[in-house]
């Protein structure tokens, strides 16, 4: 495999300086980035163009699937004129508030409980059966229960986002602690590290990759929890807009709301990646990023 990798790499003439090699590598990296961007835009434009043509020619039923131009018109209408239930930005803010509170509380609780049970075998053995039982409950069925208990306001959506996030983060934090490097822990113990110091200095940094991987996924689950809660019963939010659009057979409105959520989720993913890179500067870059 090593011979193949060497053979497939660039070949430089004898006497090539380090500066020339670095310049060639930077040029190759720019070409790769441009190629990736080209194909991303090409696929998106081909998809939207095919959808638009299909809708205009009747191949795609516009009643069910709308069309990109109709969805764009509805988005522009919502942005500049507002929805039938008020300004779009207010609905978006309500959904984001529910998602962010549920994401923050669910993540913190999942990390704390995951690390605590991962570091204590007795607690893990006692509570594991209860966690498995609760985790087996479909989250969606909890939405009407939370609405009956907490009402149509903020609390019911936050509760649903919390349970959507908690188990994902907990499972990864727990597994990350359990799979911490045993040799590293043994060396730290030889140097005198014990208890919380060992957990803080060795175990938690070792589990950070698992925790961040779960955070990338769980923010999407937090949004799903808020949307499902709003869909079942709410006074404001993007889920309410989807529900109203569904009731009036407004397919353009449903897809426009989905586009809004997609944009927010992509922005959150970008911010999460930046935060991960700033907090985990000690971690080496993934293998594919160094090739």
């Amino acid at each position: 495999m090593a011979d193949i990798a060497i053979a497939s790499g660039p070949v430089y003439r004898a006497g090539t300086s380090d500066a020339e090699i670095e310049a060639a590598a930077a040029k190759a990296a720019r070409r790769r980035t441009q190629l990736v961007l080209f194909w991303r835009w090409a696929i998106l434009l081909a998809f939207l163009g095919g959808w638009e043509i299909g809708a205009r020619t009747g191949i795609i039923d516009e009643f069910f699937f709308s069309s990109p131009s109709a969805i764009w018109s509805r988005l522009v209408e919502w942005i500049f004129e507002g929805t039938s239930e008020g300004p779009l930005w207010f609905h978006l803010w309500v959904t984001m508030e529910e998602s962010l509170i549920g994401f923050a509380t669910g993540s913190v609780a999942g990390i704390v409980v995951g690390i605590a049970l991962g570091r204590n075998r007795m607690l893990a053995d006692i509570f594991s059966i209860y966690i498995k039982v609760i985790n087996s409950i479909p989250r969606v069925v909890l939405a009407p229960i939370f609405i009956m208990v907490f009402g149509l306001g903020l609390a019911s959506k936050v509760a649903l986002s919390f349970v959507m996030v908690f188990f994902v983060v907990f499972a990864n934090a727990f597994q990350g602690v359990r799979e911490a490097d045993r040799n590293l822990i043994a060396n730290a113990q030889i140097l005198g590290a014990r208890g919380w110091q060992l957990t803080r200095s060795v175990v938690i940094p070792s589990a950070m990759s698992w925790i961040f991987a779960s955070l990338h996924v769980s923010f999407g689950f937090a949004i799903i929890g808020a949307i499902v809660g709003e869909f079942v019963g709410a006074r404001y939010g993007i889920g309410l807009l989807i529900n109203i659009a569904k009731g009036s057979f407004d397919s353009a409105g449903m897809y426009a709301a989905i586009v809004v959520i997609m944009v927010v989720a992509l922005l959150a993913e970008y911010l999460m990646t930046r935060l991960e890179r700033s907090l985990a500067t000690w971690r080496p870059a993934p293998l594919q990023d160094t090739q």
Side-chain angles (χ1 to χ4, degrees):
M1 294 298 292
D3 295 340
I4 294 173
I6 292 172
S8 60
V11 177
Y12 300 102
R13 69 181 185 280
T16 304
S17 66
D18 292 342
E20 290 175 325
I21 294 175
E22 291 177 359
K27 185 178 180 180
R30 285 195 300 272
R31 282 183 178 175
R32 184 181 183 281
T33 301
Q34 292 169 354
L35 185 63
V36 169
L37 288 175
F38 168 79
W39 279 111
R40 284 179 177 176
W41 281 106
I43 292 171
L44 178 63
L45 292 175
F47 173 74
L48 294 178
W51 186 0
E52 182 71 28
I53 292 172
R56 289 178 182 272
T57 56
I59 299 174
I60 296 175
D61 192 339
E62 198 169 357
F63 179 79
F64 295 106
F65 302 103
S66 189
S67 65
S69 59
I71 295 169
W72 175 252
S73 299
R74 184 56 46 84
L75 277 173
V76 172
E77 178 189 340
W78 281 0
I79 291 172
F80 292 103
E81 301 177 14
T83 69
S84 59
E85 302 299 319
L88 174 64
W89 306 115
F90 181 71
H91 290 286
L92 183 59
W93 162 248
V94 170
T95 301
M96 287 301 99
E97 183 183 21
E98 297 161 353
S99 303
L100 288 172
I101 295 175
F103 173 72
T105 54
S107 299
V108 171
I111 292 171
V112 171
V113 177
I115 292 174
L117 297 191
R119 293 288 292 156
N120 192 310
R121 182 71 178 271
M122 177 60 76
L123 288 178
D125 291 342
I126 293 172
F127 287 101
S128 61
I129 183 64
Y130 298 108
I131 292 173
K132 288 178 182 176
V133 169
I134 298 173
N135 191 34
S136 66
I137 301 173
R139 309 291 189 275
V140 177
V141 302
L142 296 175
I145 297 175
F146 286 147
I147 288 176
M148 283 194 297
V149 174
F150 299 112
L152 294 175
L154 177 73
S156 57
K157 285 67 178 183
V158 170
L160 191 57
S161 293
F162 177 90
V163 297
M164 296 286 283
V165 170
F166 173 80
F167 289 100
V168 176
V169 178
F170 162 77
N172 279 270
F174 179 81
Q175 197 64 29
V177 170
R178 282 299 182 88
E179 297 196 6
D181 191 329
R182 300 300 172 196
N183 293 326
L184 199 58
I185 293 175
N187 290 335
Q189 288 174 327
I190 291 173
L191 295 174
R194 292 289 185 277
W196 169 242
Q197 184 183 17
L198 184 65
T199 301
R200 184 192 61 194
S201 304
V202 178
V203 176
I204 291 179
S206 179
M208 285 297 285
S209 296
W210 288 78
I211 293 172
F212 272 116
S214 67
L215 294 180
H216 280 286
V217 177
S218 59
F219 187 76
F221 281 105
I223 295 177
I224 292 172
I227 294 291
V228 170
E230 292 167 353
F231 195 82
V232 174
R235 290 189 291 268
Y236 307 102
I238 299 298
L240 174 67
L241 297 182
I242 296 175
N243 200 14
I244 292 174
K246 180 206 69 174
S248 58
F249 300 100
D250 179 13
S251 58
M254 288 191 290
Y255 287 108
I258 293 171
V259 170
V260 172
I261 292 299
M262 288 169 59
V263 171
V264 172
L266 286 175
L267 179 61
E269 171 66 19
Y270 171 75
L271 294 176
M272 190 72 70
T273 302
R274 294 291 300 269
L275 178 65
E276 179 182 1
R277 287 177 179 173
S278 63
L279 292 179
T281 53
W282 48 269
R283 194 178 61 184
L287 181 61
Q288 62 269 25
D289 291 348
T290 61
Q291 289 177 336

